[in-house]
Amino acid sequence: MKINKIIMGIAILLMPGIASAQGMKTNGNKMKTGTAAMSLEKNMEEQEYRIPENPEDISPLLIGESIPMVSLKDVNGKGFDLNRAIASKPTILIFYRGGWCPYCTRQLSGLQELLPELETMGYQLIAVSTDSPDELSKSLDKAHLGYTLLSDADLNVSKKFGLAFKAPKGYSEMLVKTTGGLDQDLLLPVPSVFILDKMGKIQYEYINTDFKQRLNPELLKVVAQTIYKVL
């Protein structure tokens, strides 16, 4: 879609550290070539998720693809049907590492400041991390967040989005604690931003393998405004 190419171009110009999912898949020799190849690759991914050792080797979903059917846990530990929520209104979906990450907490606070404008546009904001529901509650209380936080402590959803990779050494003890022991493979997600329409189709994404680099809230606002016009 032309609008996606324009917006991705804007992001690259304003944020030179951005690494697009398209580039990752090309570098990993995983570019899709035709309907048959797409079907075969999806079937293989469903059968087994091969965990990359490095964030640069992930193979995330692309703009134009639809997200998988997934369920997560909310702050109360109850099941949350992500697809059903997304069907209610356009969604900005965030994947972050956890409330223990200072870059993530700064990002969450910036999103909170932007929240009223995003909601006025017609969006809902949902953020997913490796934190257990108890850890999510701490983040909500500490940062006074007014949007939905969800737990992907076993990283099952991060795997389905193609974002999970093997955590570097030194994270093991902390991840066991903050995930409630559910992150058995000791994985982390590459921090990401997806803008989704009500059908669950990805209209925009920002995926940067440098976890210190996050999408600027003002740029996110510009992109969200531009995309909403064509949703």
Side-chain angles (χ1 to χ4, degrees):
M1 185 180 294
K2 185 176 181 181
I3 187 68
N4 290 329
K5 293 181 180 179
I6 293 173
I7 293 169
M8 184 59 74
I10 293 173
I12 292 173
L13 288 172
L14 297 182
M15 298 288 291
I18 188 173
S20 71
Q22 284 88 340
M24 294 175 194
K25 284 203 171 184
T26 301
N27 293 337
N29 295 320
K30 294 182 180 179
M31 181 178 293
K32 294 180 174 65
T33 55
T35 304
M38 288 179 64
S39 178
L40 177 60
E41 182 174 342
K42 285 183 180 296
N43 288 336
M44 292 178 64
E45 289 176 352
E46 288 175 359
Q47 294 174 8
E48 179 182 4
Y49 181 81
R50 296 185 179 180
I51 301 170
E53 291 293 327
N54 302 301
E56 294 82 8
D57 297 326
I58 64 169
S59 184
L61 297 177
L62 300 173
I63 291 174
E65 292 187 308
S66 295
I67 68 169
M69 301 294 290
V70 295
S71 178
L72 301 106
K73 299 291 185 182
D74 63 16
V75 294
N76 298 312
K78 296 181 179 180
F80 185 96
D81 188 332
L82 182 62
N83 304 83
R84 182 176 181 180
I86 288 172
S88 66
K89 62 173 58 178
T91 302
I92 296 177
L93 181 64
I94 310 294
F95 281 84
Y96 68 103
R97 305 192 318 160
W100 46 267
C101 169
Y103 300 97
C104 296
T105 56
R106 189 179 308 146
Q107 179 187 27
L108 295 181
S109 296
L111 291 169
Q112 177 60 35
E113 294 179 6
L114 189 60
L115 182 62
E117 293 180 80
L118 294 176
E119 290 181 333
T120 298
M121 290 181 208
Y123 288 100
Q124 64 179 334
L125 182 59
I126 298 175
V128 177
S129 79
T130 65
D131 285 339
S132 67
D134 287 343
E135 295 296 322
L136 292 181
S137 295
K138 294 177 183 178
S139 295
L140 280 175
D141 294 340
K142 183 178 180 179
H144 306 289
L145 303 178
Y147 51 90
T148 300
L149 297 187
L150 298 175
S151 173
D152 181 31
D154 59 4
L155 281 94
N156 181 53
V157 175
S158 295
K159 290 178 183 178
K160 291 184 176 181
F161 274 75
L163 301 173
F165 69 99
K166 193 71 174 179
K169 294 181 179 179
Y171 282 77
S172 302
E173 184 176 347
M174 184 269 297
L175 285 177
V176 169
K177 178 181 178 181
T178 59
T179 67
L182 294 179
D183 187 2
Q184 297 182 359
D185 292 323
L186 300 178
L187 308 179
L188 282 173
V190 172
S192 308
V193 178
F194 296 94
I195 297 182
L196 309 169
D197 61 24
K198 291 194 292 184
M199 298 298 292
K201 182 177 290 187
I202 300 171
Q203 299 295 327
Y204 171 82
E205 62 188 18
Y206 176 91
I207 302 172
N208 197 322
T209 57
D210 181 355
F211 68 87
K212 298 179 181 180
Q213 300 295 328
R214 304 301 168 94
L215 182 60
N216 182 284
E218 287 303 310
L219 177 56
L220 174 58
K221 182 173 72 173
V222 171
V223 173
Q225 287 174 329
T226 304
I227 288 180
Y228 197 83
K229 297 175 183 178
V230 298
L231 291 180

